[in-house]
Amino acid sequence: ALSSQEIKALYNAQANQYYNNFTGLTTGTYTYQGYSQDMAGNVNVSEMRQVNVDTIYPQINFTAPTPSNNTYLSANWTVANITFSDANLKNATIWLFNSTRALINSTNSTTSSLYVNFSGLSDGIYYLNASVYDTAGNVNNTETRTITIDTLNPNVTLISPANLSYLNYSSNVNFTANISDTNLANATLYIYNSSGLYNSTTTTLTGITNTIIGTVVSLIDGIYTWFYQIFDLAGNRFTTANYTVTIDTSFPQINFT
């Protein structure tokens, strides 16, 4: 239990306190101190204290060469570069997360700008953002950018016409291939004859991961070499082997003699 002296001390501590809430202050530096005076005119003054009022959020931006949002990279690394500023700057941090939002790396600095090269990354989706803090506790953030690391070439298997095949029709020849990749972009069929490039047709495959593509072309009699070239969204390229097809619509000649 408290003694009578302790109870009196607690009472006096409450009774002799003065409280004031200064509202409506604008951003800036303020000083304050306390004065006390007794009935006999004795005056005492507290030490001078200083407080900084800061309601302004710090500024932060991604700058080059940071990849844009929804970028696909054929590399096992990516970079980030930010600039940031504030009158009462504390620090800024760049964050990199993987597809499950697990933190891969965080790097901070107290001075602008901040450049980071995140290396040794596995293929997959990553999320990149940054935050800046001032000494008053104000925080500002960049947008979150999605970056896909893809170092694998597309996979392609030619189907038809079979290599070294002969066809007795020239209209509606269907050149087919089985194509797969996590981030397909497009496929281009190239057909050459003895005169050079006879046909090139590009098919958009964005959003598709596996498909059998067929490109129908009308030919004339002759020997043709054909192949597909596939690109994914990261710029990885795969070119198939050359297949040869011969178009021969002429009937053989026969006569009784």
Side-chain angles (χ1 to χ4, degrees):
L2 296 177
S3 67
S4 59
Q5 289 82 5
E6 289 172 328
I7 294 173
K8 184 177 180 181
L10 287 173
Y11 173 81
N12 289 334
Q14 295 296 323
N16 296 326
Q17 286 184 356
Y18 175 72
Y19 171 85
N20 186 67
N21 184 2
F22 298 95
T23 61
L25 300 179
T26 59
T27 296
T29 301
Y30 298 85
T31 57
Y32 66 96
Q33 63 184 155
Y35 295 83
S36 65
Q37 182 176 4
D38 63 19
M39 299 296 293
N42 299 306
V43 177
N44 201 359
V45 181
S46 71
E47 77 278 10
M48 183 75 71
R49 293 188 178 184
Q50 178 176 297
V51 62
N52 294 311
V53 175
D54 181 0
T55 61
I56 299 175
Y57 288 96
Q59 298 299 304
I60 185 170
N61 291 286
F62 279 124
T63 57
T66 307
S68 301
N69 188 35
N70 293 323
T71 292
Y72 292 79
L73 299 176
S74 179
N76 66 348
W77 53 270
T78 188
V79 299
N81 192 29
I82 58 171
T83 57
F84 48 95
S85 62
D86 190 82
N88 302 298
L89 183 65
K90 183 179 181 182
N91 59 53
T93 303
I94 298 177
W95 314 86
L96 182 69
F97 302 87
N98 66 13
S99 59
T100 64
R101 302 288 180 170
L103 180 63
I104 299 299
N105 187 288
S106 64
T107 302
N108 63 66
S109 176
T110 58
T111 57
S112 181
S113 61
L114 174 58
Y115 174 90
V116 182
N117 185 332
F118 301 103
S119 59
L121 302 177
S122 302
D123 280 19
I125 298 173
Y126 294 86
Y127 302 101
L128 181 68
N129 58 32
S131 303
V132 63
Y133 309 82
D134 66 19
T135 55
N138 298 307
V139 182
N140 203 359
N141 305 293
T142 64
E143 75 278 12
T144 297
R145 296 188 178 184
T146 301
I147 299 169
T148 301
I149 300 294
D150 179 2
T151 60
L152 300 177
N153 290 329
N155 185 39
V156 187
T157 301
L158 297 182
I159 300 175
S160 67
N163 192 27
L164 303 177
S165 60
Y166 287 79
L167 301 179
N168 61 4
Y169 59 93
S170 60
S171 298
N172 300 326
V173 179
N174 193 7
F175 294 85
T176 62
N178 191 338
I179 302 171
S180 62
D181 189 85
T182 305
N183 306 294
L184 283 172
N186 59 65
T188 301
L189 168 68
Y190 293 93
I191 304 175
Y192 288 84
N193 62 11
S194 59
S195 299
L197 180 64
Y198 181 85
N199 178 279
S200 66
T201 303
T202 299
T203 302
T204 300
L205 300 172
T206 305
I208 299 172
T209 58
N210 188 288
T211 187
I212 294 179
I213 185 174
T215 304
V216 177
V217 181
S218 292
L219 306 174
I220 59 176
D221 281 18
I223 300 173
Y224 296 86
T225 298
W226 66 281
F227 63 91
Y228 271 100
Q229 189 171 78
I230 315 300
F231 282 90
D232 66 19
L233 294 172
N236 299 305
R237 178 183 64 184
F238 183 85
T239 303
T240 68
N242 294 335
Y243 271 24
T244 298
V245 59
T246 300
I247 304 298
D248 183 359
T249 61
S250 300
F251 289 98
Q253 299 298 311
I254 184 171
N255 292 287
F256 283 117
T257 58

